[in-house]
Structure formats: structure tokens, C-alpha cells
Amino acid sequence: MSDNPGSGSGVHPDEPRGRRLTLGDIAERLGISTATVSLALRDSPLVAKTTRDKVKDMARQVGYIYNRSAASLRTSRTQIVGVAVHDIMNPYFAEIFSTLEDELERQGQMVFICNHRDNVERQRVFIDTLLQHRADGLILCASVGTTPEEINRLIDQGISVTLICRDVEGANAPIVRGDDETGAFLVTQHLIRQGHRRIAMAGGRRETSTGRDRNAGWRRALATAGIDPDSQLDIPELMNQTDGQSVVPRLLAAPERPSAVMCFNDMVALGMMPALRWAGVEPGPGMAVTGYDDVDGAAARTPSLTTVASHADRIGSMAASLMLRQIGGEDVLVTRHLIEPDVKIRDSSPPPGVRHGRRLGA
């Protein structure tokens, strides 16, 4: 990480950290009037297209966002905090958001939420909107494609930022996330101890720290047990229940059919289990299945789902605390806060051929 927290942010070295850029800053750099800059940012036909393009390009470079609600200098807090995640339909993120909302609202903060769906442009539009409303802060589970420069640019403009769940290497913001590599290692180790030697991994976007770390934990557990990870079925990108259902034919058709599957998250696992049953394979005895996140309802399925609790409530609570401290003017350290995971062993991960729970319909 750079020793200079403002490096790569696009902010002029003569400008103090934390000061919001003005129309006058852009005008001075381009040698034009402030009025022309204002008109160009509003796509006024009174300004030539070439000039409009130059102004917008400069604004993009320095991270300036035209404030539609107030073109004057910021004089007070708005008590608005944005929260952006990639899948609000996942109960895990819904739990994080619920905790964040409760704790921030108790301190008088209004919460705006974005479901960016791993579309970085959608995320950027949301962030631009937050800045137009002069939001005080952003809590972000970063989309694939997010750069440290764009996060650092926000910080350099005085926006409080806290990352959750996914790292963005080089970003000068604190992060709260689960220890994904350890959790994946522990749950894979559990399957090995149950006697499984063919253990597939299903899911995870490997462009994200979460996907990489859970895959690394699975690989480390296999290698520690003397099993070559590259000899096992490893299927990336699966993220939701539909993905879990769709991958079952591939699992069952594999030349070396796995006896167990470590799923990237509970959504993939909960989609996979009924699809296995429809294919005539009983989840658990026929193929052990584990999830990750311990979402609400995972323990109530048949069979109950073995999973890793990564404690969404703790992540939400700590992220809210860090955000409120930053908004309050405290200089928060750029630290990775790792939440320790717990493996919840249930009926879906017995030894090969063994049933721990009741048969469906029994």
C-alpha cells in the first residue's frame, strides 16, 4: 500500500486533503470561466461540444461531481449514508443491511441502498447520486471492477468510506469482512474428516477477494490432506439458487463424481439440494453439501444445511460503528477487521452413504 494516502486519486497535490473541489478549480485549470464550466456540466448548447467534453473529462479526472442540490460550498452534514452491495436478495446481505440501518438510524442517519449486481457502472451512478445529495458516507461491498483510485478519490474529497465483505487492494478505507479462507478451510476439513476424498467446489467470483479466499481455503484443506486440488471439480461464478440448481447435471455427469460439494454460499447450496433430489440423489447420504454464511432458514431445511457462520450482524454492527466514527471526525485507521467464522455442522454433510437427518416425507 502506498505511503501517500492520496496517491492515484486524481487530486491536485496543492489541494488539501478533504476539501471538496469547486467549479472554480476546474475553470482555473482549463483557463475558462466558472460559468462556462457550470453550463458544460449541464450539457448546455451554449457551450461548444469540444469544450463540454474537455470540462467533463477534467471533472472525471479530479473526481468532481456537480451538486445539483447546492452549488455552494458544503457547510453542514446531510446525515445521509449510502450502502451498496451486489445482491440484496441474498438473506446474508439483507441481515447486514438490517443491522446497518438500525444502528445508523439510531444516530439520526438516513440510509440509501443500492443493489449494484456486480455492475461497476451501476455502482458508479449510485455513488455519483450520493455525491449530488452531499452524502456524508458510503458503506460499500465493492463491485467487480472497482478500482482503489475511485475509492481514494472519494476519501480525498472528504467522503467517509467503509468497505465490507470484499477487499479492494490499495483503497485507503477500513474494511470489515469474514475470514473467508479460514472458514472455507475448516468446512472442507470437516468433509475430509467425514471420509470424503472427492470434494468439489461450486461457485464464487474469483475476481473478488471473497471468491479467491474461499477457493484458497478449499484448496489448502485438500492439499493438507494429501489430495490434489487440481484433480477435483472446481466450478466458479455460481452465486445464487438458480446457479445451484443448474450445476447439478454437471456434478452428476463428472467422470469422478464428487461425494461432497463445498458451495461458495448458502444460496448455491440451497438451490443444489432440491435439484439433487429431483435427479434421484439424496442430499447428504447421496452427496454431502455444505454452504457458507449461515443464512436464516439454513438450519430448517431437510436436510439441515452444514455451513459457515460469518456473522452478518457483527459485520454490520462494526461497519456502522466505523462509519459513525469517521462522520464524527475521528481519524479511523485503515485496517482489515476480520470476523472469525464458525462451522455449523448439521445433517447435510454426513460420511458417504450415511443419513443423519430424517428422510423427506418420513
Side-chain angles (χ1 to χ4, degrees), residues 21 25 49 52 78 90 276 282 298 309 330-331 344 356 362:
L21 295 165
D25 294 321
K49 184 179 185 304
R52 277 183 276 158
T78 59
N90 185 328
L276 283 171
E282 188 175 356
E330 186 175 337
D331 189 11
K344 303 294 185 181
H356 282 166

Side-chain angles (χ1 to χ4, degrees), residues 21-326:
L21 295 165
T22 67
L23 294 175
D25 294 321
I26 298 174
E28 181 180 356
R29 294 188 192 187
L30 293 176
I32 59 179
S33 70
T34 300
T36 299
V37 173
S38 178
L39 289 169
L41 289 173
R42 286 181 281 151
D43 279 323
S44 171
L46 297 174
V47 179
K49 184 179 185 304
T50 54
T51 303
R52 277 183 276 158
D53 290 344
K54 283 181 182 179
V55 169
K56 290 179 181 178
D57 184 60
M58 176 60 71
R60 194 176 301 112
Q61 288 180 39
V62 301
Y64 178 85
I65 302 297
Y66 185 70
N67 189 335
R68 291 189 177 92
S69 63
S72 61
L73 292 174
R74 179 175 177 139
T75 59
S76 63
R77 296 292 183 186
T78 59
Q79 295 185 293
I80 294 173
V81 174
V83 180
V85 300
H86 66 274
D87 186 8
I88 196 61
M89 299 302 292
N90 185 328
Y92 178 71
F93 287 103
E95 186 176 349
I96 290 177
F97 175 68
S98 178
T99 304
L100 283 170
E101 188 176 44
D102 287 346
E103 300 206 10
L104 291 172
E105 285 187 349
R106 272 198 292 270
Q107 299 300 319
Q109 300 293 325
M110 180 184 300
V111 179
F112 289 2
I113 191 165
C114 170
N115 186 31
H116 59 62
R117 305 170 194 164
D118 264 331
N119 181 327
V120 73
E121 291 304 323
R122 184 181 177 91
Q123 175 182 286
R124 287 167 181 160
V125 168
F126 175 68
I127 292 172
D128 286 354
T129 302
L130 287 179
L131 293 177
Q132 290 164 16
H133 286 83
R134 299 181 295 149
D136 295 333
L138 170 67
I139 297 174
L140 177 66
C141 177
S143 169
V144 170
T146 302
T147 67
E149 289 79 14
E150 56 193 308
I151 293 174
N152 293 340
R153 192 176 296 129
L154 293 173
I155 296 167
D156 290 341
Q157 292 180 79
I159 303 296
S160 300
V161 178
T162 296
L163 301 175
I164 56 172
C165 301
R166 292 175 173 179
D167 280 325
V168 178
E169 194 64 36
N172 299 321
I175 178 166
V176 187
R177 50 166 291 191
D179 188 345
D180 293 304
E181 182 174 351
T182 296
F185 174 85
L186 292 174
V187 76
T188 307
Q189 189 178 63
H190 158 69
L191 290 170
I192 293 167
R193 288 173 175 166
Q194 294 288 68
H196 296 281
R197 303 290 294 180
R198 297 190 308 278
I199 304 170
M201 179 170 182
R205 293 197 172 110
R206 308 299 160 79
E207 295 176 76
T208 68
S209 61
T210 312
R212 290 191 301 270
D213 287 357
R214 293 183 188 179
N215 186 255
W218 169 78
R219 287 178 172 274
R220 180 161 64 91
L222 292 171
T224 300
I227 303 170
D228 179 10
D230 291 331
S231 70
Q232 307 297 302
L233 195 58
D234 183 8
I235 308 172
E237 293 302 312
L238 313 175
M239 296 295 288
N240 54 43
Q241 290 193 60
T242 300
D243 293 337
Q245 293 171 6
S246 67
V247 78
V248 165
R250 183 173 173 183
L251 293 172
L252 298 181
E256 293 287 332
R257 192 170 106 174
S259 64
V261 185
M262 193 210 90
C263 295
F264 169 75
N265 63 21
D266 288 348
M267 295 296 95
V268 173
L270 294 175
M272 185 178 294
M273 290 201 298
L276 283 171
R277 189 172 288 113
W278 298 331
V281 177
E282 188 175 356
M287 185 175 290
V289 179
T290 66
Y292 205 110
D293 291 334
D294 195 26
V295 301
D296 186 33
R301 297 301 179 102
T302 303
S304 56
L305 181 63
T306 293
T307 186
V308 179
S310 49
H311 305 294
D313 57 337
R314 295 184 200 171
I315 290 175
S317 179
M318 183 174 288
S321 175
L322 288 167
M323 176 54 57
L324 290 168
R325 286 165 57 193
Q326 289 176 82

Side-chain angles (χ1 to χ4, degrees), residues 338-355:
L338 291 180
I339 306 299
E340 184 178 356
D342 299 312
V343 178
K344 303 294 185 181
I345 299 174
R346 299 181 181 128
D347 295 336
S348 69
S349 60
V354 175
R355 179 183 297 107

